[in-house]
Amino acid sequence: MEPAGAPPQGCAPAREAEEPPGSPALPAEEPPGEGALPAATGRERGRGCRGAGPQGPPERAARGRGRWAPGRRGGEEGARDGRRPRVTVDSSKAKTSLEALKISLRQLRWREFPFGRRLPCDIYWHGVSFHDNDIFSGQVNKFPGMTEMVRKITLSRAVRTMQDLFPLEYNFYPRSWILPEEFPLFVAEVRMMKDSDPSWKPTFIVKPDGGCQGDGIYLIKDPSDIRLAGSIQSRPAVVQEYICKPLLVDKLKFDIRLYVLLKSLEPLEIYIAKDGLSRFCTEPYQEPTLKNLHQVFMHLTNYSLNIHSGNFIHSDNANTGSKRTFSSILCKLSSRGADVKKLWSDIISLVIKTIIALTPELKVYYQSDIPAGKPGPTCFQILGFDILLLKNLKPMLLEVNANPSMRIEHEQELSPGVFENVPSPVDEEVKVAVIRDTLRLVDPQKKKRKDTQNCKLSNSNFSMASVDILYIDITRRWNSMGIDHKESGMCLQAFVEAFFCLAQKKYKSLPLHEQVASLIDFCEDHLAALDERRLVCGRGLVERRNAVVPCQSDGLPLTPAAHAPLLHRTATSSKFTDYRSHRC
Ligand code: ADP
């Protein structure tokens, strides 16, 4: 991702960080016919632009087709002749993620409705927020309140609450103060710290709330350098300790944009994409001094700022240039002997803890927009985590983007004022995979298949139908006893009764304690086999990716990480790694 700073006057804004609300929607296209190849998608854009479509590498089309057996057909025909109907996706509000979404949908052979649909769709893909459309069913790719929750001030508050409770667990976020209300506290704390350690020569970074792309950001050496009190009042901001010793690659500061899928809040399900982007500064880094404090190309990694530097290197190679894949950085670090497994596990921990900090308020937003029992869609969301690595490889959270840019092209100035859209293979490689795997993970048909999956409890003594009846009977009986339990489904006592009942039916001839023990063993074996299957799928994928990106497995742990006691974690068959607090 490339958070973009305020572009110099007269330059086209490059959107690579958070998509600012209200960015113009791209015109939608007719859905492709069966077997259609990715079409050219260039289009005219403002200021005398000459559209040039990102044709994409030829193997993209081949890959897309190769996933399916010849002659396979989906759609309504599929439904009529007994095969699965295709998943339907409303892309009419997708805005700048449209191109990457279209490619993903073609690869999956799902059905796109670029102008919306009168009948409900399975999935609604919004470019900005939950409220882009009124939706009462299906799934939407935004949570209500997410944009508000990840604004700089709200995020700082949420993380700070957790820092107060668990200072060691949350030491991945720089010390921050909220302006203007905490300005006196900021002054006092800095004075106190300087008094206790006269050798401490800090730098601070001031970031306007709600800003993106580096907009309005500046560095200071002393609280008294904060610009005009009047402007603080009109534009609240976060002031943060500046990380002076970041890890450098090729003598340049860089940050990491990682894509995280929040698949569900209840239960909490988090997936982390196995590859992301690294955005590079374009001037060699030096620790901040009064002289270099204003050199944005040295201190700010925003793509939209650095693209205007004469030193910006566009590269189609994921290992070079000013924007690279994160996996290429991991590879480089690994070749230098760095412990990238530990790094990856620290990143995972940072992501999970950040989402945990946001969860309570997100649930409040969720319940107010989609009250329990009222019709409404379920939500998922791709978040962009911006992370800086310290010299010792400790990851530090800079910010979270609710609408990370999913653009797979960038604008190139051919002659003054004339721009062309140029495909960006690095963006396409990472972002299409993120969207496609997100869709796979939220596939409503997969969910239906999973819901109806037979857990093989039945045998010749009893059928699955009789298990269902048992479940309904016992749940109803315990619920009618007026026992106060908030969760849907069975209370614990009812579960125990049902479990004993099933054990007696399944293992007729044994004494009760052996029946129960046998059923526990049976369930545990079944769950372990499920885990194993998932793990094998995940590994298969890592191996396949290895063919493309050597050393990839270094960065893509599929085994439990250091945070394992905090949350359960299982591997999935996608390029996401799955972290969830509950496992069914
Ligand atoms: P924006 O949303 O405007 O991009 P960020 O919080 O991402 O704002 O900050 C912009 C850039 O400033 C980052 O990409 C990073 O390079 C730099 N930066 C932000 N916070 C810090 C910090 N605490 N220490 C060092 N660099 C920082």
Side-chain angles (χ1 to χ4, degrees), residues 365-565:
Y365 277 107
Y366 196 88
Q367 281 155 13
S368 94
D369 269 298
I370 314 171
K374 289 254 172 75
T378 54
C379 304
F380 63 93
Q381 186 153 356
I382 297 170
L383 300 168
F385 273 64
D386 290 352
I387 291 169
L388 198 66
L389 298 182
L390 301 186
K391 276 213 155 54
N392 63 3
L393 288 194
K394 179 179 168 58
M396 297 293 286
L397 177 68
L398 297 181
E399 71 160 348
V400 181
N401 287 295
N403 296 316
S405 167
M406 286 294 165
R407 280 177 179 252
I408 52 173
E409 62 197 39
H410 58 81
E411 283 171 350
Q412 222 168 44
E413 195 166 10
L414 294 181
S415 55
V418 181
F419 294 89
E420 185 187 41
N421 291 332
V422 183
S424 168
V426 177
D427 286 285
E428 183 172 328
E429 179 185 334
V430 171
K431 293 174 183 176
V432 169
V434 166
I435 293 186
R436 188 194 56 229
D437 288 343
T438 294
L439 291 171
R440 281 204 188 118
L441 283 162
V442 301
D443 178 351
Q445 303 198 340
K446 197 168 93 191
K447 186 167 180 297
K448 273 185 216 148
R449 287 198 299 278
K450 205 167 134 195
D451 289 348
T452 55
Q453 224 172 37
N454 187 345
C455 67
K456 300 194 178 74
L457 259 180
S458 55
N459 63 14
S460 55
N461 297 333
F462 63 105
S463 63
M464 278 313 289
S466 67
V467 176
D468 288 345
I469 292 167
L470 180 79
Y471 170 84
I472 294 164
D473 279 351
I474 294 182
T475 308
R476 195 181 294 146
R477 188 149 43 77
W478 279 89
N479 286 353
S480 70
M481 283 187 223
I483 289 179
D484 185 27
H485 69 100
K486 302 264 180 301
E487 280 104 43
S488 57
M490 282 182 157
C491 62
L492 180 67
Q493 298 93 325
F495 173 79
V496 172
E497 182 184 326
F499 197 86
F500 278 35
C501 216
L502 280 176
Q504 285 168 316
K505 284 187 176 216
K506 194 166 174 67
Y507 305 102
K508 271 191 154 75
S509 53
L510 303 173
L512 180 64
H513 70 275
E514 282 183 32
Q515 288 171 330
V516 170
S518 301
L519 188 55
I520 290 172
D521 285 348
F522 172 85
C523 293
E524 282 183 347
D525 285 352
H526 191 70
L527 286 173
L530 277 178
D531 272 357
E532 186 62 25
R533 271 215 300 274
R534 287 195 191 124
L535 216 58
V536 167
C537 280
R539 273 193 197 121
L541 221 129
V542 171
E543 274 152 23
R544 245 185 302 152
R545 272 195 67 84
N546 276 348
V548 187
V549 188
C551 309
Q552 182 72 18
S553 56
D554 277 336
L556 312 178
L558 288 166
T559 49
H563 68 282

Side-chain angles (χ1 to χ4, degrees), residues 73-93:
R73 304 180 55 183
E76 277 75 30
E77 308 101 272
R80 272 199 301 274
D81 65 14
R83 275 173 282 173
R84 287 204 286 140
R86 281 194 295 171
V87 177
T88 53
V89 179
D90 179 336
S91 64
S92 61
K93 305 285 179 193

Side-chain angles (χ1 to χ4, degrees), residues 228-271:
L228 302 172
S231 78
I232 295 174
Q233 292 294 347
S234 58
R235 200 165 183 195
V238 167
V239 59
Q240 203 167 66
E241 226 178 303
Y242 185 75
I243 296 160
C244 293
K245 293 184 192 299
L247 180 75
L248 306 181
V249 166
D250 303 335
K251 301 196 172 121
L252 299 168
K253 175 174 171 178
F254 68 97
D255 75 353
I256 305 160
R257 157 59 56 90
L258 271 188
Y259 299 92
V260 171
L261 170 65
L262 178 57
K263 183 164 175 269
S264 142
L265 269 181
E266 192 83 68
L268 191 56
E269 275 188 70
I270 304 165
Y271 293 77

